[in-house]
Amino acid sequence: MREGYEGTGPGAITPDGCAVELYARLPVGDEPDVIAAAVPAGAHILELGSGVGRVTHPLLERGFTVTAVDESAEMLGRVRGARTICGPIEDLDLGERFDVVMLASFLVHAGDVEVRRGMLRTCARHVAEGGCVLIQREGADYHAKVPRERVDPSGFTVRIVSSEPVGDGVNSVRAEYVFPDAVWTQTFRSRPLTKEQFEEALAEAGLEVDTYLTPDGIWVRAIPVTCARFR
């Protein structure tokens, strides 16, 4: 387990507290549509933190080629139709470059600054010339409107129960997922980032915002700084 991370509930729990069985149940949202609209058709995508393939599989169905990376072998065991690589994102160095590198699931908000830096360096290291990096950020009120809950149309409830400061600008967040037949919890550490702090973190890795893809600013397309200079 990574320090400050914990998960409970049936089945395997990953080092960051995610429950494999839970993520196998969660429906896909609008992520594949956002991604497909932001990148060239048929692009080869390096998906960092793919989990069980919740987003991977819809992308494959849309004609993309996906290399799925996750540190959990149990998660990757659920992925079908994509090349899979097991290992920590922050240490990844495939010696390859991809049309698109994707860092979703709010991973850019990792509580450990060095982990975040490593993840963004991985993004910059693997994006091809002329390619882009897609990043998912937390919403503006992610840590403010707590506790809160949402009832999914498919019949489960997700709650953000608490978000408590633990020092150095990091919060410990506790989430609950309640299904009719099972309950899972996840406790994880998150570092809130203002827009300015987020862009500074990108710049440190040699990346720059190309555009904010959604009105809420949650999805971002970034490009290497060297490419930005010649737009």
Side-chain angles (χ1 to χ4, degrees):
M1 248 338 137
R2 290 177 180 259
E3 183 180 356
Y5 293 74
E6 182 183 6
T8 67
I13 304 294
T14 67
D16 61 354
C18 294
V20 176
E21 296 297 333
L22 165 63
Y23 278 83
R25 294 190 184 199
L26 293 181
V28 67
D30 63 354
E31 295 101 321
D33 295 329
V34 173
I35 295 160
V39 304
H44 191 168
I45 299 174
L46 177 63
E47 184 185 5
L48 303 175
S50 66
V52 297
R54 188 177 59 88
V55 175
T56 314
H57 298 141
L59 291 176
L60 293 170
E61 291 168 2
R62 284 164 168 78
F64 296 102
T65 301
V66 182
T67 294
V69 177
D70 203 277
E71 66 179 347
S72 166
E74 291 90 348
M75 287 282 196
L76 289 176
R78 305 296 183 98
V79 175
R80 298 289 179 266
R83 171 193 181 195
T84 60
I85 297 172
C86 188
I89 295 168
E90 61 268 31
D91 298 332
L92 188 71
D93 190 352
L94 299 178
E96 305 173 40
R97 293 186 178 268
F98 298 80
D99 303 319
V100 180
V101 180
M102 186 168 67
L103 187 69
S105 300
F106 313 134
L107 292 173
V108 73
H109 292 274
D112 187 325
V113 171
E114 289 306 315
V115 169
R116 183 193 71 206
R117 286 173 173 156
M119 288 181 174
L120 289 175
R121 284 194 295 263
T122 292
C123 291
R125 185 162 53 240
H126 289 90
V127 65
E129 184 176 353
C132 65
V133 179
L134 301 185
I135 301 172
Q136 185 182 26
R137 303 168 61 225
E138 293 174 344
D141 295 328
Y142 187 84
H143 296 270
K145 295 182 178 179
V146 178
R148 64 179 181 272
E149 73 173 38
R150 176 180 63 85
V151 179
D152 191 85
S154 63
F156 71 91
T157 299
V158 56
R159 299 188 182 103
I160 302 298
V161 179
S162 60
S163 177
E164 300 294 339
V166 292
D168 189 34
V170 177
N171 290 342
S172 176
V173 181
R174 179 178 173 84
E176 293 181 351
Y177 300 83
V178 181
F179 286 74
D181 62 336
V183 176
W184 285 274
T185 73
Q186 183 186 10
T187 301
F188 58 94
R189 291 192 175 179
S190 174
R191 180 180 296 274
L193 299 171
T194 64
K195 181 180 176 182
E196 292 73 23
Q197 289 169 332
F198 168 70
E199 293 183 359
E200 287 171 3
L202 291 185
E204 187 179 32
L207 299 169
E208 180 175 284
V209 171
D210 180 44
T211 186
Y212 286 88
L213 297 168
T214 52
D216 56 15
I218 288 177
W219 279 94
V220 184
R221 184 172 64 209
I223 56 177
V225 172
T226 52
C227 294
R229 290 174 183 166
F230 295 99
R231 281 185 297 177

